[in-house]
Amino acid sequence: MRTYLALTTAAAVLTGVGATAYATTPPLATTTPTTATDTSPATTAKPLAGLRVLLSNDDSMQAAKASNSDGLGLYELRRAMCAAGADVVVMAPWQVQSGKGTAVTNGGVVTVQRRSGAGLPAGYADDCSGAPSGGAVFGVCLSAGPCGKDTPSATPADTVKLALRGGLRAKVGWDGAPDLVLTGINSGPNVSASVNDSGTVGAAVAAIDQGVPAVAFSSSGDASNTSFPRVNYRAHAEFGARFVAGLRGRGLLTSAFALKVDYPDVSAGQRAKAPVWTRVGDGAVVYHAFEQRGADGSGDSTSFDIALGLCPLDGSGAGECAEGREDADSTWLLDRGHVTVAPVTWDRTYGTPVDARRTLNRIEHYVTHEAPRP
């Protein structure tokens, strides 16, 4: 059984009625990421001190919608990383760019516009005030002038390429590349076939393409699949800071491949289960469907409605909804409630030898046996 949801309808549901102001929900109680033996043999109060991080996403840097689907996860990840000592700079799409994959813009002009002070979402302005770069936040639009409400946006991959090819130097004075690129936290998981469409993953691939280590974070929504609770983002962000600290402490930040980290829904009070090393699933959870217009069924119409196809999550799917891998990310995340980690590479050559095999094995061991528990 398949469920179709028109994309225009889905957008209306996710946006919410009258959700035009920046998010003003009071932030949850802040907890400092722990730095126990799950980070490194020599722990410190600030396990990410001295780490320069570029943060981007595909949800934009607006954080204006009541559904929390347009960038709130980015600010939660920024908060957690700065609390752990990292120097974080945000350079993200001006508008929501979900589903853009690795798409790039091939011409024109981009503007990098800073957002600061009272312009930041309520409760997040001072999160990185003590960092060398002050937690700078930039949105990137396709314009030769200021970015306005309806200005078209750069893609996720655009923002990372721009940052690494001069944007960070021009805007915050960084010489050389950052130590790490983080993308997300995305509103909704990026698993199975949707990974190919994901701008969150696409931005991480753009980073390793330039020789910079990258991790892509995505969080599940609530049971309705129409809202993305702050508690999910915060749990993922705090786990993410400890997860990155563990990689760093073990010398496992690598540009040979990106890591994709998806977090289950914990908004009803349940705890996420231990991280699991997975593969990207070969089935679909969400897919694009095209429905020809015309009630008479004559097939003469040249117009098609784009719809969002939702596969059943109980394993009863067939065709493209069927999952054939026991270690699929979707199975462990959606069915079993685990944090899932999968390696993703830019190399699409079928049958190519796996590079950095030793590092890959060490990271798998870390995820399976040593990574922090939610």
Side-chain angles (χ1 to χ4, degrees), residues 77-119:
L77 187 56
R78 171 178 173 264
R79 163 179 283 177
M81 294 299 293
C82 285
D87 185 15
V88 180
V89 173
V90 171
M91 201 166 284
W94 180 251
Q95 307 278 13
V96 174
Q97 294 288 286
S98 181
K100 294 294 185 178
T102 56
V104 294
T105 304
N106 289 326
V109 180
V110 297
T111 290
V112 182
Q113 187 161 306
R114 184 160 187 172
R115 183 182 186 186
S116 59

Side-chain angles (χ1 to χ4, degrees), residues 1-191:
M1 175 182 177
R2 297 180 180 181
T3 301
Y4 288 171
L5 179 66
L7 289 181
T8 51
T9 302
V13 171
L14 292 176
T15 300
V17 179
T20 56
Y22 290 120
T24 56
T25 304
L28 303 177
T30 302
T31 52
T32 302
T34 61
T35 56
T37 54
D38 57 30
T39 56
S40 65
T43 58
T44 65
K46 299 286 186 179
L48 298 180
L51 190 75
R52 296 196 308 184
V53 175
L54 167 66
L55 177 56
S56 189
N57 69 355
D58 72 359
D59 286 338
S60 85
M61 32 64 73
Q62 297 295 335
K65 296 181 179 179
S67 62
N68 298 331
S69 63
D70 64 336
L72 186 69
L74 178 146
Y75 291 99
E76 284 292 332
L77 187 56
R78 171 178 173 264
R79 163 179 283 177
M81 294 299 293
C82 285
D87 185 15
V88 180
V89 173
V90 171
M91 201 166 284
W94 180 251
Q95 307 278 13
V96 174
Q97 294 288 286
S98 181
K100 294 294 185 178
T102 56
V104 294
T105 304
N106 289 326
V109 180
V110 297
T111 290
V112 182
Q113 187 161 306
R114 184 160 187 172
R115 183 182 186 186
S116 59
L120 291 169
Y124 296 95
D126 298 327
D127 288 338
C128 304
S129 58
S133 300
V137 175
F138 301 96
V140 186
C141 67
L142 302 181
S143 171
C147 305
K149 178 182 177 182
D150 299 319
T151 306
S153 180
T155 70
D158 283 340
T159 66
V160 171
K161 291 176 183 289
L162 168 66
L164 300 182
R165 294 174 178 172
L168 287 171
R169 179 181 294 108
K171 289 298 183 180
V172 296
W174 282 7
D175 290 325
D179 301 303
L180 178 66
V181 172
L182 299 180
T183 62
I185 300 171
N186 189 65
S187 57
N190 278 304
V191 293

